[in-house]
Amino acid sequence: MADYIIVGNGAAALACIDGIRHVDREAPITVISAEKHPAYCRPLISYALEGRAKPENMGARADDYYEKNGCTVLYGEKAVKLDPAAHTVTLDSGRVLPYGKLCAATGSSPFVPPIEGLDTVEEKFTFMTMDDMLALDAAVKPDSTVMIVGAGLIGLKCAEGLAGRVKSMTVCDLAPRVLSSVLDEEGAALMQAKLEERGITFLLGDTAAKFEGCRAVMKSGKTVDFDVLVLAVGVRANTALIREAGGAVNRGILTDTRMRTSLPDVYAAGDCAEGYDASIGANRVLAILPNARLQGECAGENMAGGDRVFDNAVPMNAIGFFGLHALTAGRSLAPDEGGEIYEERTNGGLKKLYVKDGLLIGFELVGVMERAGICTSLIREKIPLSTLDFDLMRRGATTAAFSPEVRRQKFGGAV
Amino acid sequence: MGSRTRGNDMKRIYVNEKWCLGCHLCEYNCAFANSGRTDMASALKGKPIYPRIRIEEAEKTAQTGKSAQTEKICYAVSCRHCADPLCVKACISGALTQEDGVIRIDRSRCVGCFTCVLVCPYGALSPDGDGVMQKCELCLRNAVGEPACVAGCPNRAIVYEER
Ligand SMILES: Cc1cc2nc3c(=O)[nH]c(=O)nc-3n(C[C@H](O)[C@H](O)[C@H](O)COP(=O)(O)OP(=O)(O)OC[C@H]3O[C@@H](n4cnc5c(N)ncnc54)[C@H](O)[C@@H]3O)c2cc1C
Ligand code: SF4
Ligand code: SF4
């Protein structure tokens, strides 16, 4: 009964396997994988559309990874019911599996809004999985007119992937700017301009109110004709398994800083989890890849009897289109909370650093990427700016801004 | 991955900051070692170089009493081969991996997304001329076989050893 079950087979699941194996080399692990593929690098699906990544080369790990790590993967099977008292999980095939410790690494699913007439659209797609990508890839032709609903990361990465492969593309979003959950107006405008350069048309502050076959009638009354529709309005954490078992769920599955859910011996990690976000000091879903890996590893080590705490998660986003990259970490300042903003504009570039109570709490960089991770470390490690030469740091991220002792320890000390 | 090298049981490049002359020789030796060429001139002359080790330079003015003293800082930075590497955990393409403690990059997989640059606490990754990331791999995979930067440093400001 000491066996491990991981529900899901994405980034969080792999990291969970690694975490378990740091502590326990022996006990068998069963991975329940709704998708029929070995885990792959999900963010590469847009690069596959573009032809920069090949599906057969997108595997997240070496071919013998599962075998080497003592994992049995049940491909094409879904966990549908969890019985926390009996410590069993039921699959859609009806099979019942006992577990010692279980990790929900179920990720998120595209949210499909109930728009009137959506059922009249023939060629409609979401953009979340390898299979979604392959279906879209097969549907687009050089003379396709594509409409993408949602100007977030997923919608725009899809647009980048299709650029040059179709006749035209229109992206709409109810928000007044692109990437509204990640960038401020100024940063968003730079990214939008880059996308427009490549012929992508935007309808912002507007969204599809109704579909009539190959025509969208917008809220504003405008109409957009298309033959391929991509729905990318957002994602929802896959929480049903835990919620229906009585586990605490908010937007995601609630976890503590050891990735434990409210159910005994049940953990959660990745896009499905609502773990502690140090940048806001509260729980929040952080649906980004680094977080899935860090949470998964933490969950795995703890499932195997280790004692790992993950309490410095912060949002970190690297978003690029056609060679223009935006990097953000932490959070920005609310209008009424005080603090200082250091801003710098270079031609086509933007740098904003948010400082509060002597700490760097976040940044937004567009087109200036060099050594950005040094600034990220100031946020994650809550390094008091009084201990370094922040004047130097804000001109350009550099470890030279640290004190001589810190530099000696960083570059001369044991790793 | 799976197995993790914890602690000090491998050789790494360490910096003796006070001995660094700021001569940038390490950068040239790095670019040459990773160029795949056999003579330095054809590898480097008249070309932009993308070394995996970089000299960090800064001038700091310290106020001691009435007189302001300008201190020049310079030292070489390359990948620390972290025992718990954030870059590997953040990489979206699986290009970055940890093998026997060495953090490697499979440049054919890298899509140049800059996520690793966003998370590396040392600023140790940078793109080459084609936007593909590159980083120090301790010269273990090129013809030199051990760090060319260290071998060519005239003043032992970088060393390759276990600590
Ligand atoms: C196009 C695109 C681009 C992206 N780009 C970036 C980026 O550049 N940077 C970044 O940080 N993040 C990016 N992301 C987000 C990133 O991919 C996710 O944060 C990450 O994949 C989350 O990993 P996960 O393991 O939590 O979930 P997932 O990778 O979604 O894996 C969950 C798996 O669980 C399976 N599953 C769900 N329920 C069950 C069940 N009941 N039984 C069995 N299996 C189940 C699902 O089918 C899925 O395969 C991108 C996402 C997309 C779609
Ligand atoms: S690239 Fe940076 S984060 Fe990655 S191992 Fe090297 S120093 Fe550590
Ligand atoms: S830039 Fe390349 S190596 Fe760095 S995270 Fe992206 S894909 Fe990985």
Side-chain angles (χ1 to χ4, degrees):
Chain A
M1 267 287 282
D3 292 15
Y4 305 103
I5 287 188
I6 301 174
V7 184
N9 185 22
L14 293 183
C16 182
I17 297 169
D18 291 341
I20 291 171
R21 290 297 178 237
H22 291 161
V23 181
D24 178 349
R25 298 281 332 153
E26 300 300 327
I29 300 173
T30 303
V31 179
I32 306 171
S33 176
E35 288 188 71
K36 292 190 173 124
H37 315 276
Y40 55 91
C41 298
R42 189 170 304 291
L44 289 187
I45 62 173
S46 71
Y47 296 88
L49 274 187
E50 218 180 317
R52 283 175 65 196
K54 297 261 168 293
E56 63 276 13
N57 217 356
M58 283 163 54
R61 293 293 166 86
D63 293 342
D64 59 357
Y65 172 80
Y66 296 109
E67 198 195 320
K68 268 196 171 160
N69 283 284
C71 300
T72 307
V73 189
L74 307 177
Y75 289 109
E77 301 230 41
K78 257 193 107 168
V80 291
K81 187 168 170 287
L82 182 72
D83 184 338
H87 276 57
T88 59
V89 63
T90 307
L91 308 186
D92 53 357
S93 62
R95 239 173 110 187
V96 179
L97 303 174
Y99 64 83
K101 307 266 175 175
L102 178 138
C103 183
T106 48
S108 42
S109 296
F111 172 63
V112 177
I115 303 174
E116 188 189 332
L118 199 52
D119 53 329
T120 67
V121 181
E122 256 170 47
E123 297 279 13
K124 54 175 183 280
F125 303 88
T126 52
F127 196 61
M128 189 72 194
T129 65
M130 180 78 91
D131 293 344
D132 290 344
M133 182 279 291
L134 292 171
L136 180 60
D137 184 66
V140 295
K141 299 175 191 68
D143 64 348
S144 299
T145 50
V146 178
M147 176 173 190
I148 299 177
V149 184
L153 171 71
I154 292 176
L156 294 183
K157 278 312 249 187
C158 181
E160 183 192 43
L162 290 176
R165 291 190 57 183
V166 298
K167 194 169 100 204
S168 71
M169 249 187 296
T170 305
V171 180
C172 69
D173 200 304
L174 200 49
R177 62 179 190 272
V178 302
L179 300 164
S180 59
S181 64
V182 185
L183 298 178
D184 68 1
E185 268 170 47
E186 211 179 341
L190 291 171
M191 300 309 274
Q192 184 181 335
K194 190 76 198 174
L195 290 150
E196 283 171 338
E197 256 175 43
R198 297 294 172 110
I200 297 165
T201 306
F202 286 94
L203 286 177
L204 298 173
D206 201 0
T207 194
K210 190 163 82 172
F211 289 103
E212 296 162 352
C214 283
R215 167 167 294 183
V217 181
M218 307 297 290
K219 256 204 160 123
S220 62
K222 284 187 194 140
T223 59
V224 179
D225 291 332
F226 60 84
D227 39 44
V228 173
L229 177 71
V230 179
L231 293 161
V233 293
V235 298
R236 295 281 153 92
N238 292 325
T239 59
L241 192 67
I242 303 298
R243 182 173 19 95
E244 287 162 13
V249 163
N250 189 22
R251 287 198 171 190
I253 301 163
L254 283 170
T255 68
D256 63 10
T257 53
R258 288 180 169 78
M259 306 319 296
R260 294 181 294 212
T261 69
S262 65
L263 302 173
D265 299 323
V266 177
Y267 296 70
D271 280 14
C272 67
E274 188 171 317
Y276 183 70
D277 173 353
S279 76
I280 55 167
N283 277 42
R284 175 158 69 156
V285 175
L286 287 178
I288 50 173
L289 193 73
N291 198 52
R293 298 232 180 88
L294 291 163
Q295 288 188 337
E297 183 180 42
C298 174
E301 288 191 10
N302 290 332
M303 286 162 74
D307 186 24
R308 182 115 178 201
V309 173
F310 179 41
D311 58 3
N312 65 344
V314 299
M316 303 186 283
N317 287 287
I319 302 177
F321 307 103
F322 308 115
L324 181 64
H325 297 268
L327 305 182
T328 66
R331 67 179 182 92
S332 57
L333 288 159
D336 54 356
E337 72 170 312
E340 299 118 69
I341 306 179
Y342 296 93
E343 301 177 70
E344 211 180 285
R345 288 164 189 81
T346 47
N347 100 67
L350 176 67
K351 171 150 80 177
K352 291 188 183 177
L353 305 178
Y354 304 101
V355 173
K356 194 170 179 224
D357 301 330
L359 298 173
L360 184 69
I361 61 158
F363 62 76
E364 175 174 316
L365 308 171
V366 181
V368 272
M369 292 85 75
E370 214 177 353
R371 294 193 279 256
I374 299 169
C375 289
T376 307
S377 77
L378 299 184
I379 302 171
R380 292 184 80 236
E381 294 163 34
K382 293 197 165 70
I383 298 171
L385 299 182
S386 59
T387 65
L388 52 98
D389 184 343
F390 188 58
D391 234 28
L392 189 62
M393 186 72 88
R394 70 190 165 87
R395 270 181 268 141
T398 172
T399 53
F402 292 114
S403 70
E405 300 77 64
V406 171
R407 294 202 299 273
R408 207 168 306 133
Q409 192 257 320
K410 279 188 189 294
F411 299 108
V415 173
Chain B
M1 284 215 326
S3 73
R4 190 162 43 154
T5 312
R6 273 258 169 243
N8 314 326
D9 47 359
M10 68 177 264
K11 285 168 90 173
R12 288 186 169 83
I13 296 171
Y14 294 98
V15 176
N16 290 323
E17 188 178 314
K18 65 173 189 291
W19 290 339
C20 178
L21 311 169
C23 68
H24 295 257
L25 258 181
C26 50
E27 296 181 346
Y28 286 95
N29 281 315
C30 175
F32 178 45
N34 292 302
S35 67
R37 306 237 180 192
T38 50
D39 78 289
M40 219 161 179
S42 81
L44 309 179
K45 197 168 175 176
K47 294 179 185 161
I49 63 164
Y50 300 96
R52 300 158 187 201
I53 188 165
R54 303 255 175 167
I55 299 295
E56 290 249 37
E57 283 169 301
E59 277 189 9
K60 284 189 183 178
T61 314
Q63 205 72 35
T64 38
K66 273 189 222 143
S67 64
Q69 277 211 327
T70 306
E71 178 205 6
K72 192 169 181 292
I73 305 169
C74 63
Y75 56 95
V77 174
S78 58
C79 171
R80 306 308 303 142
H81 296 277
C82 299
D84 199 1
L86 260 182
C87 61
V88 173
K89 291 181 186 168
C91 176
I92 70 160
S93 75
L96 288 162
T97 53
Q98 183 176 36
E99 288 162 44
D100 300 325
V102 180
I103 311 304
R104 307 202 135 141
I105 182 161
D106 176 350
R107 288 166 33 88
S108 71
R109 288 185 73 129
C110 171
V111 293
C113 72
F114 280 87
T115 307
C116 52
V117 174
L118 173 66
V119 302
C120 171
Y122 303 96
L125 297 119
S126 57
D128 68 7
D130 300 322
V132 175
M133 285 310 146
Q134 43 157 31
K135 65 176 294 301
C136 166
E137 297 181 304
L138 300 171
C139 286
L140 298 176
R141 288 205 295 190
N142 63 32
V144 181
E146 60 173 21
C149 54
V150 170
C153 178
N155 208 29
R156 281 184 56 77
I158 37 178
V159 294
Y160 183 51
E161 60 191 36
E162 254 180 63
R163 282 196 182 168

